[in-house]
Amino acid sequence: MLLALAGCSILSDKPRSTSTIYAPEPTVQADPSWPKVDWQLVVAPPAAPRIVDSLRIAVRPTPGEVQVYRDAQWVRPPSDMLVDTVLRALEDSGRIGGVARQGTGVASEFKLFFEVRRFESDYAGGALPSATIEVSAKLLHVPQQKVAASKVFRQAVPSSSTAVADVARAFEQALSNIGGDIAGWTLTSGEAYRRTLPPAKP
């Protein structure tokens, strides 16, 4: 079931051509408590270690040991899946003036930065793994070039079995959960910071 990452293969992102490709489709339901804001947001390209942001599906069978599932891969790198989930959550919520990726030419008052720290199936000493995602997020107020808020988000959703397909489904739920957490936090934190600013001069 598992193929150890060793030597140069740790940095390799070339899954076998016969791999099963998993494409999670996370969905996020907007929370009624999320504020409606009139400012715009740009999401910067996320940072992530190469071993975390690989098409290979990482698994941690024991603490300090990272392996990958044999003949299985993600359809896109984890950082792309995470950003897409957050963007879609914000767009579909109808609670923000505008949101886009950096580089699209959209002028924004806030910019969201990510660092993907973990995206792995973690046994954590148990019989079944959990889809574990950990993300550090920072919200920058662009006009002041000041960090308005920062937070570390973590989701660990248990898989129903050790089968890779069930692990992938657990990741789908973990992405939904963490995407909703980040979207709601972004709206709430950005609006709270904006209210601390002096009124704009006429």
Side-chain angles (χ1 to χ4, degrees):
M1 180 179 68
L2 306 177
L3 172 65
L5 280 171
C8 295
S9 67
I10 290 178
L11 300 180
S12 174
D13 195 24
K14 297 179 180 178
R16 295 164 62 95
S17 59
T18 56
S19 292
T20 299
I21 299 175
Y22 292 93
E25 296 182 351
T27 57
V28 178
Q29 184 69 37
D31 191 304
S33 67
W34 292 358
K36 186 173 179 62
V37 303
D38 61 6
W39 38 266
Q40 297 194 134
L41 173 77
V42 160
V43 180
R50 188 172 178 182
I51 192 172
V52 173
D53 205 28
S54 170
L55 291 179
R56 295 180 180 271
I57 304 176
V59 56
R60 190 178 294 272
T62 60
E65 180 183 4
V66 179
Q67 302 180 4
V68 295
Y69 288 108
R70 185 187 299 274
D71 300 336
Q73 71 177 85
W74 296 123
V75 67
R76 287 175 298 159
S79 63
D80 286 351
M81 291 192 287
L82 177 68
V83 170
D84 285 351
T85 302
V86 174
L87 280 170
R88 190 177 301 115
L90 289 168
E91 289 172 345
D92 293 350
S93 73
R95 287 179 165 85
I96 187 167
V99 58
R101 294 176 185 269
Q102 181 175 301
T104 56
V106 173
S108 66
E109 186 171 349
F110 289 94
K111 183 181 291 187
L112 183 61
F113 293 88
F114 290 134
E115 179 190 356
V116 185
R117 296 179 176 179
R118 297 181 68 190
F119 201 98
E120 63 192 21
S121 171
D122 189 359
Y123 276 80
L128 295 176
S130 291
T132 303
I133 304 175
E134 185 175 303
V135 178
S136 173
K138 289 182 174 61
L139 186 63
L140 179 76
H141 184 245
V142 176
Q144 295 183 324
Q145 287 295 293
K146 182 177 179 180
V147 174
S150 62
K151 186 174 180 178
V152 175
F153 296 86
R154 187 177 184 275
Q155 282 286 333
V157 176
S159 174
S160 60
S161 80
T162 59
V164 183
D166 289 330
V167 171
R169 279 188 283 271
F171 270 105
E172 183 174 86
Q173 186 60 56
L175 274 169
S176 298
N177 294 349
I178 205 166
D181 290 346
I182 294 173
W185 169 82
T186 299
L187 294 171
T188 302
S189 300
E191 190 63 11
Y193 183 83
R194 201 174 192 230
R195 290 175 181 174
T196 68
L197 301 175
K201 294 181 180 180

